[in-house]
Amino acid sequence: MAVERREATVQGRRILVIANETLIGTVLHEAIRFRARNVGGEVLVVAPVLDTATPEWTTDSDGARRSAEERLSRSLDRLRAAGVNARGQIGDRDPLQAIADALGLFAADEIIIATHPGPRSNWLGH
């Protein structure tokens, strides 16, 4: 995997956003819009496929992927409508792996990680 190379003339910062169910929330969108507009940013939004609490052999991976695609599409539509230069991709269910995969393709200057608060977050436990 090759990392995108940046030319010295490129303006703005590249912002990687990784979020699960919080991806369609107003608070996250406001934060992304604020950051992207203030630094002239390009945004890559990654929506990991949500893991389920059920055993692997019962996991509905197609349904989980469709759900991630829907969240990602809604988020990108909102960001683009607000004038944010954004694109997206589906990521690994492990948020750290999703970040590593994205950084292999997108040379981010900063990362925004959005998750539920402590007791509701599976990510914080990992």
Side-chain angles (χ1 to χ4, degrees):
M1 243 187 290
V3 174
E4 292 178 348
R5 300 291 177 212
R6 296 182 58 182
E7 296 180 22
T9 60
V10 173
Q11 296 296 315
R13 294 176 59 82
R14 295 165 58 102
I15 304 166
L16 171 60
V17 178
I18 182 161
N20 55 19
E21 293 170 333
T22 59
L23 188 58
I24 55 177
T26 300
V27 172
L28 178 59
H29 278 263
E30 288 175 358
I32 295 168
R33 285 193 310 265
F34 175 79
R35 295 295 307 146
R37 285 185 182 158
N38 286 339
V39 297
E42 176 185 358
V43 178
L44 174 64
V45 179
V46 177
V49 174
L50 290 179
D51 199 5
T52 63
T54 58
E56 270 305 305
W57 54 272
T58 62
T59 299
D60 176 12
S61 60
D62 290 340
R65 184 169 184 85
R66 275 192 305 276
S67 180
E69 289 170 348
E70 289 171 15
R71 285 191 314 276
L72 179 61
S73 178
R74 287 176 58 194
S75 176
L76 291 173
D77 288 347
R78 258 177 98 180
L79 290 170
R80 290 173 181 152
V84 174
N85 179 14
R87 60 186 164 126
Q89 68 185 42
I90 301 301
D92 192 273
R93 68 182 182 180
D94 176 348
L96 294 178
Q97 186 61 53
I99 291 169
D101 292 345
L103 290 174
L105 300 171
F106 183 81
D109 296 305
E110 68 181 277
I111 301 173
I112 297 173
I113 302 172
T115 186
H116 291 298
R120 290 188 56 207
S121 175
N122 292 328
W123 288 8
L124 293 178
H126 297 300

PDB file of all heavy atoms in Angstrom, residues 81-110:
ATOM      1  N   ALA A  81     -22.809  18.887   1.669  1.00  0.00           N
ATOM      2  CA  ALA A  81     -23.821  19.947   1.598  1.00  0.00           C
ATOM      3  C   ALA A  81     -23.369  21.186   2.368  1.00  0.00           C
ATOM      4  O   ALA A  81     -23.763  22.306   2.025  1.00  0.00           O
ATOM      5  CB  ALA A  81     -25.155  19.447   2.141  1.00  0.00           C
ATOM      6  N   ALA A  82     -22.520  20.985   3.380  1.00  0.00           N
ATOM      7  CA  ALA A  82     -21.998  22.102   4.179  1.00  0.00           C
ATOM      8  C   ALA A  82     -20.708  22.670   3.582  1.00  0.00           C
ATOM      9  O   ALA A  82     -20.072  23.536   4.170  1.00  0.00           O
ATOM     10  CB  ALA A  82     -21.755  21.648   5.612  1.00  0.00           C
ATOM     11  N   GLY A  83     -20.303  22.162   2.410  1.00  0.00           N
ATOM     12  CA  GLY A  83     -19.119  22.684   1.746  1.00  0.00           C
ATOM     13  C   GLY A  83     -17.806  22.060   2.170  1.00  0.00           C
ATOM     14  O   GLY A  83     -16.736  22.581   1.865  1.00  0.00           O
ATOM     15  N   VAL A  84     -17.863  20.908   2.842  1.00  0.00           N
ATOM     16  CA  VAL A  84     -16.639  20.230   3.288  1.00  0.00           C
ATOM     17  C   VAL A  84     -16.162  19.299   2.179  1.00  0.00           C
ATOM     18  O   VAL A  84     -16.948  18.543   1.600  1.00  0.00           O
ATOM     19  CB  VAL A  84     -16.890  19.440   4.586  1.00  0.00           C
ATOM     20  CG1 VAL A  84     -15.672  18.619   4.975  1.00  0.00           C
ATOM     21  CG2 VAL A  84     -17.278  20.394   5.717  1.00  0.00           C
ATOM     22  N   ASN A  85     -14.875  19.348   1.872  1.00  0.00           N
ATOM     23  CA  ASN A  85     -14.248  18.467   0.895  1.00  0.00           C
ATOM     24  C   ASN A  85     -14.049  17.105   1.571  1.00  0.00           C
ATOM     25  O   ASN A  85     -13.056  16.881   2.251  1.00  0.00           O
ATOM     26  CB  ASN A  85     -12.914  19.055   0.437  1.00  0.00           C
ATOM     27  CG  ASN A  85     -12.196  18.177  -0.567  1.00  0.00           C
ATOM     28  OD1 ASN A  85     -12.767  17.255  -1.141  1.00  0.00           O
ATOM     29  ND2 ASN A  85     -10.922  18.470  -0.771  1.00  0.00           N
ATOM     30  N   ALA A  86     -15.023  16.204   1.412  1.00  0.00           N
ATOM     31  CA  ALA A  86     -15.003  14.936   2.138  1.00  0.00           C
ATOM     32  C   ALA A  86     -15.205  13.748   1.221  1.00  0.00           C
ATOM     33  O   ALA A  86     -15.931  13.824   0.236  1.00  0.00           O
ATOM     34  CB  ALA A  86     -16.089  14.943   3.215  1.00  0.00           C
ATOM     35  N   ARG A  87     -14.549  12.680   1.570  1.00  0.00           N
ATOM     36  CA  ARG A  87     -14.759  11.383   0.930  1.00  0.00           C
ATOM     37  C   ARG A  87     -14.754  10.346   2.039  1.00  0.00           C
ATOM     38  O   ARG A  87     -14.420  10.659   3.180  1.00  0.00           O
ATOM     39  CB  ARG A  87     -13.710  11.088  -0.132  1.00  0.00           C
ATOM     40  CG  ARG A  87     -12.289  11.063   0.383  1.00  0.00           C
ATOM     41  CD  ARG A  87     -11.315  10.911  -0.782  1.00  0.00           C
ATOM     42  NE  ARG A  87      -9.970  11.243  -0.395  1.00  0.00           N
ATOM     43  CZ  ARG A  87      -8.934  10.440  -0.573  1.00  0.00           C
ATOM     44  NH1 ARG A  87      -9.106   9.253  -1.108  1.00  0.00           N
ATOM     45  NH2 ARG A  87      -7.738  10.818  -0.228  1.00  0.00           N
ATOM     46  N   GLY A  88     -15.108   9.108   1.723  1.00  0.00           N
ATOM     47  CA  GLY A  88     -15.201   8.129   2.787  1.00  0.00           C
ATOM     48  C   GLY A  88     -14.919   6.718   2.339  1.00  0.00           C
ATOM     49  O   GLY A  88     -14.815   6.434   1.143  1.00  0.00           O
ATOM     50  N   GLN A  89     -14.802   5.852   3.335  1.00  0.00           N
ATOM     51  CA  GLN A  89     -14.607   4.438   3.084  1.00  0.00           C
ATOM     52  C   GLN A  89     -15.089   3.644   4.290  1.00  0.00           C
ATOM     53  O   GLN A  89     -15.165   4.167   5.395  1.00  0.00           O
ATOM     54  CB  GLN A  89     -13.136   4.112   2.789  1.00  0.00           C
ATOM     55  CG  GLN A  89     -12.193   4.289   3.971  1.00  0.00           C
ATOM     56  CD  GLN A  89     -10.740   4.066   3.587  1.00  0.00           C
ATOM     57  OE1 GLN A  89     -10.290   4.515   2.536  1.00  0.00           O
ATOM     58  NE2 GLN A  89     -10.012   3.361   4.434  1.00  0.00           N
ATOM     59  N   ILE A  90     -15.405   2.388   4.036  1.00  0.00           N
ATOM     60  CA  ILE A  90     -15.768   1.464   5.098  1.00  0.00           C
ATOM     61  C   ILE A  90     -14.466   0.924   5.682  1.00  0.00           C
ATOM     62  O   ILE A  90     -13.511   0.669   4.960  1.00  0.00           O
ATOM     63  CB  ILE A  90     -16.627   0.304   4.541  1.00  0.00           C
ATOM     64  CG1 ILE A  90     -17.889   0.850   3.884  1.00  0.00           C
ATOM     65  CG2 ILE A  90     -16.960  -0.706   5.632  1.00  0.00           C
ATOM     66  CD1 ILE A  90     -18.772   1.657   4.798  1.00  0.00           C
ATOM     67  N   GLY A  91     -14.452   0.756   7.004  1.00  0.00           N
ATOM     68  CA  GLY A  91     -13.235   0.295   7.663  1.00  0.00           C
ATOM     69  C   GLY A  91     -13.416  -1.018   8.406  1.00  0.00           C
ATOM     70  O   GLY A  91     -14.534  -1.501   8.585  1.00  0.00           O
ATOM     71  N   ASP A  92     -12.309  -1.563   8.835  1.00  0.00           N
ATOM     72  CA  ASP A  92     -12.280  -2.777   9.634  1.00  0.00           C
ATOM     73  C   ASP A  92     -13.083  -2.570  10.912  1.00  0.00           C
ATOM     74  O   ASP A  92     -13.186  -1.460  11.423  1.00  0.00           O
ATOM     75  CB  ASP A  92     -10.819  -3.106   9.981  1.00  0.00           C
ATOM     76  CG  ASP A  92     -10.660  -4.489  10.560  1.00  0.00           C
ATOM     77  OD1 ASP A  92     -10.801  -4.647  11.797  1.00  0.00           O
ATOM     78  OD2 ASP A  92     -10.405  -5.413   9.767  1.00  0.00           O
ATOM     79  N   ARG A  93     -13.628  -3.645  11.456  1.00  0.00           N
ATOM     80  CA  ARG A  93     -14.419  -3.520  12.691  1.00  0.00           C
ATOM     81  C   ARG A  93     -13.569  -3.124  13.890  1.00  0.00           C
ATOM     82  O   ARG A  93     -14.066  -2.563  14.850  1.00  0.00           O
ATOM     83  CB  ARG A  93     -15.180  -4.806  12.971  1.00  0.00           C
ATOM     84  CG  ARG A  93     -14.284  -5.966  13.333  1.00  0.00           C
ATOM     85  CD  ARG A  93     -15.099  -7.198  13.538  1.00  0.00           C
ATOM     86  NE  ARG A  93     -14.230  -8.296  13.921  1.00  0.00           N
ATOM     87  CZ  ARG A  93     -14.641  -9.489  14.177  1.00  0.00           C
ATOM     88  NH1 ARG A  93     -15.922  -9.764  14.108  1.00  0.00           N
ATOM     89  NH2 ARG A  93     -13.790 -10.419  14.512  1.00  0.00           N
ATOM     90  N   ASP A  94     -12.275  -3.404  13.845  1.00  0.00           N
ATOM     91  CA  ASP A  94     -11.343  -2.975  14.889  1.00  0.00           C
ATOM     92  C   ASP A  94     -10.939  -1.533  14.567  1.00  0.00           C
ATOM     93  O   ASP A  94     -10.300  -1.284  13.543  1.00  0.00           O
ATOM     94  CB  ASP A  94     -10.127  -3.878  14.909  1.00  0.00           C
ATOM     95  CG  ASP A  94      -9.049  -3.443  15.895  1.00  0.00           C
ATOM     96  OD1 ASP A  94      -9.112  -2.309  16.426  1.00  0.00           O
ATOM     97  OD2 ASP A  94      -8.126  -4.236  16.133  1.00  0.00           O
ATOM     98  N   PRO A  95     -11.294  -0.582  15.420  1.00  0.00           N
ATOM     99  CA  PRO A  95     -11.019   0.823  15.083  1.00  0.00           C
ATOM    100  C   PRO A  95      -9.534   1.124  14.895  1.00  0.00           C
ATOM    101  O   PRO A  95      -9.186   1.935  14.039  1.00  0.00           O
ATOM    102  CB  PRO A  95     -11.602   1.606  16.256  1.00  0.00           C
ATOM    103  CG  PRO A  95     -11.821   0.622  17.342  1.00  0.00           C
ATOM    104  CD  PRO A  95     -11.962  -0.715  16.712  1.00  0.00           C
ATOM    105  N   LEU A  96      -8.657   0.463  15.637  1.00  0.00           N
ATOM    106  CA  LEU A  96      -7.226   0.705  15.451  1.00  0.00           C
ATOM    107  C   LEU A  96      -6.749   0.187  14.095  1.00  0.00           C
ATOM    108  O   LEU A  96      -5.938   0.831  13.431  1.00  0.00           O
ATOM    109  CB  LEU A  96      -6.422   0.082  16.583  1.00  0.00           C
ATOM    110  CG  LEU A  96      -6.653   0.697  17.957  1.00  0.00           C
ATOM    111  CD1 LEU A  96      -5.847  -0.038  19.023  1.00  0.00           C
ATOM    112  CD2 LEU A  96      -6.323   2.176  17.957  1.00  0.00           C
ATOM    113  N   GLN A  97      -7.287  -0.944  13.670  1.00  0.00           N
ATOM    114  CA  GLN A  97      -6.938  -1.470  12.342  1.00  0.00           C
ATOM    115  C   GLN A  97      -7.516  -0.575  11.256  1.00  0.00           C
ATOM    116  O   GLN A  97      -6.873  -0.324  10.242  1.00  0.00           O
ATOM    117  CB  GLN A  97      -7.438  -2.904  12.174  1.00  0.00           C
ATOM    118  CG  GLN A  97      -6.986  -3.540  10.869  1.00  0.00           C
ATOM    119  CD  GLN A  97      -5.473  -3.631  10.769  1.00  0.00           C
ATOM    120  OE1 GLN A  97      -4.819  -4.155  11.658  1.00  0.00           O
ATOM    121  NE2 GLN A  97      -4.903  -3.087   9.692  1.00  0.00           N
ATOM    122  N   ALA A  98      -8.736  -0.066  11.471  1.00  0.00           N
ATOM    123  CA  ALA A  98      -9.349   0.841  10.500  1.00  0.00           C
ATOM    124  C   ALA A  98      -8.509   2.108  10.337  1.00  0.00           C
ATOM    125  O   ALA A  98      -8.324   2.598   9.224  1.00  0.00           O
ATOM    126  CB  ALA A  98     -10.779   1.192  10.936  1.00  0.00           C
ATOM    127  N   ILE A  99      -7.986   2.611  11.445  1.00  0.00           N
ATOM    128  CA  ILE A  99      -7.118   3.794  11.385  1.00  0.00           C
ATOM    129  C   ILE A  99      -5.839   3.471  10.633  1.00  0.00           C
ATOM    130  O   ILE A  99      -5.413   4.223   9.752  1.00  0.00           O
ATOM    131  CB  ILE A  99      -6.807   4.317  12.803  1.00  0.00           C
ATOM    132  CG1 ILE A  99      -8.063   4.908  13.440  1.00  0.00           C
ATOM    133  CG2 ILE A  99      -5.685   5.353  12.759  1.00  0.00           C
ATOM    134  CD1 ILE A  99      -7.925   5.196  14.924  1.00  0.00           C
ATOM    135  N   ALA A 100      -5.209   2.347  10.977  1.00  0.00           N
ATOM    136  CA  ALA A 100      -3.957   1.959  10.313  1.00  0.00           C
ATOM    137  C   ALA A 100      -4.169   1.789   8.808  1.00  0.00           C
ATOM    138  O   ALA A 100      -3.353   2.253   8.000  1.00  0.00           O
ATOM    139  CB  ALA A 100      -3.414   0.666  10.924  1.00  0.00           C
ATOM    140  N   ASP A 101      -5.260   1.149   8.435  1.00  0.00           N
ATOM    141  CA  ASP A 101      -5.555   0.955   7.006  1.00  0.00           C
ATOM    142  C   ASP A 101      -5.741   2.299   6.303  1.00  0.00           C
ATOM    143  O   ASP A 101      -5.218   2.516   5.210  1.00  0.00           O
ATOM    144  CB  ASP A 101      -6.813   0.109   6.828  1.00  0.00           C
ATOM    145  CG  ASP A 101      -6.643  -1.331   7.277  1.00  0.00           C
ATOM    146  OD1 ASP A 101      -5.490  -1.786   7.473  1.00  0.00           O
ATOM    147  OD2 ASP A 101      -7.675  -2.009   7.456  1.00  0.00           O
ATOM    148  N   ALA A 102      -6.485   3.199   6.937  1.00  0.00           N
ATOM    149  CA  ALA A 102      -6.737   4.510   6.329  1.00  0.00           C
ATOM    150  C   ALA A 102      -5.448   5.315   6.193  1.00  0.00           C
ATOM    151  O   ALA A 102      -5.225   5.967   5.179  1.00  0.00           O
ATOM    152  CB  ALA A 102      -7.765   5.287   7.152  1.00  0.00           C
ATOM    153  N   LEU A 103      -4.599   5.259   7.216  1.00  0.00           N
ATOM    154  CA  LEU A 103      -3.335   6.008   7.158  1.00  0.00           C
ATOM    155  C   LEU A 103      -2.401   5.464   6.092  1.00  0.00           C
ATOM    156  O   LEU A 103      -1.536   6.186   5.600  1.00  0.00           O
ATOM    157  CB  LEU A 103      -2.646   6.008   8.531  1.00  0.00           C
ATOM    158  CG  LEU A 103      -3.338   6.846   9.599  1.00  0.00           C
ATOM    159  CD1 LEU A 103      -2.652   6.645  10.946  1.00  0.00           C
ATOM    160  CD2 LEU A 103      -3.361   8.319   9.214  1.00  0.00           C
ATOM    161  N   GLY A 104      -2.588   4.220   5.702  1.00  0.00           N
ATOM    162  CA  GLY A 104      -1.806   3.654   4.614  1.00  0.00           C
ATOM    163  C   GLY A 104      -2.174   4.238   3.264  1.00  0.00           C
ATOM    164  O   GLY A 104      -1.405   4.157   2.308  1.00  0.00           O
ATOM    165  N   LEU A 105      -3.362   4.851   3.187  1.00  0.00           N
ATOM    166  CA  LEU A 105      -3.848   5.421   1.928  1.00  0.00           C
ATOM    167  C   LEU A 105      -3.994   6.937   1.958  1.00  0.00           C
ATOM    168  O   LEU A 105      -4.088   7.571   0.914  1.00  0.00           O
ATOM    169  CB  LEU A 105      -5.230   4.828   1.603  1.00  0.00           C
ATOM    170  CG  LEU A 105      -5.295   3.328   1.446  1.00  0.00           C
ATOM    171  CD1 LEU A 105      -6.746   2.873   1.348  1.00  0.00           C
ATOM    172  CD2 LEU A 105      -4.512   2.889   0.223  1.00  0.00           C
ATOM    173  N   PHE A 106      -4.055   7.503   3.151  1.00  0.00           N
ATOM    174  CA  PHE A 106      -4.394   8.918   3.324  1.00  0.00           C
ATOM    175  C   PHE A 106      -3.441   9.504   4.359  1.00  0.00           C
ATOM    176  O   PHE A 106      -3.478   9.138   5.536  1.00  0.00           O
ATOM    177  CB  PHE A 106      -5.849   9.017   3.809  1.00  0.00           C
ATOM    178  CG  PHE A 106      -6.388  10.409   3.972  1.00  0.00           C
ATOM    179  CD1 PHE A 106      -6.846  11.128   2.878  1.00  0.00           C
ATOM    180  CD2 PHE A 106      -6.475  10.988   5.220  1.00  0.00           C
ATOM    181  CE1 PHE A 106      -7.386  12.398   3.033  1.00  0.00           C
ATOM    182  CE2 PHE A 106      -7.011  12.257   5.393  1.00  0.00           C
ATOM    183  CZ  PHE A 106      -7.459  12.960   4.289  1.00  0.00           C
ATOM    184  N   ALA A 107      -2.564  10.378   3.918  1.00  0.00           N
ATOM    185  CA  ALA A 107      -1.560  10.974   4.810  1.00  0.00           C
ATOM    186  C   ALA A 107      -2.214  12.061   5.662  1.00  0.00           C
ATOM    187  O   ALA A 107      -2.200  13.228   5.314  1.00  0.00           O
ATOM    188  CB  ALA A 107      -0.405  11.547   3.992  1.00  0.00           C
ATOM    189  N   ALA A 108      -2.803  11.656   6.784  1.00  0.00           N
ATOM    190  CA  ALA A 108      -3.551  12.587   7.638  1.00  0.00           C
ATOM    191  C   ALA A 108      -2.618  13.441   8.487  1.00  0.00           C
ATOM    192  O   ALA A 108      -1.592  12.976   8.975  1.00  0.00           O
ATOM    193  CB  ALA A 108      -4.486  11.805   8.547  1.00  0.00           C
ATOM    194  N   ASP A 109      -3.025  14.695   8.674  1.00  0.00           N
ATOM    195  CA  ASP A 109      -2.333  15.597   9.593  1.00  0.00           C
ATOM    196  C   ASP A 109      -2.933  15.504  10.989  1.00  0.00           C
ATOM    197  O   ASP A 109      -2.273  15.815  11.975  1.00  0.00           O
ATOM    198  CB  ASP A 109      -2.446  17.048   9.105  1.00  0.00           C
ATOM    199  CG  ASP A 109      -1.750  17.240   7.771  1.00  0.00           C
ATOM    200  OD1 ASP A 109      -0.557  16.910   7.676  1.00  0.00           O
ATOM    201  OD2 ASP A 109      -2.411  17.699   6.826  1.00  0.00           O
ATOM    202  N   GLU A 110      -4.198  15.126  11.048  1.00  0.00           N
ATOM    203  CA  GLU A 110      -4.856  14.959  12.342  1.00  0.00           C
ATOM    204  C   GLU A 110      -5.932  13.898  12.219  1.00  0.00           C
ATOM    205  O   GLU A 110      -6.399  13.591  11.126  1.00  0.00           O
ATOM    206  CB  GLU A 110      -5.438  16.265  12.864  1.00  0.00           C
ATOM    207  CG  GLU A 110      -6.604  16.819  12.102  1.00  0.00           C
ATOM    208  CD  GLU A 110      -7.098  18.136  12.691  1.00  0.00           C
ATOM    209  OE1 GLU A 110      -7.873  18.092  13.660  1.00  0.00           O
ATOM    210  OE2 GLU A 110      -6.699  19.190  12.173  1.00  0.00           O
TER     211      GLU A 110
END
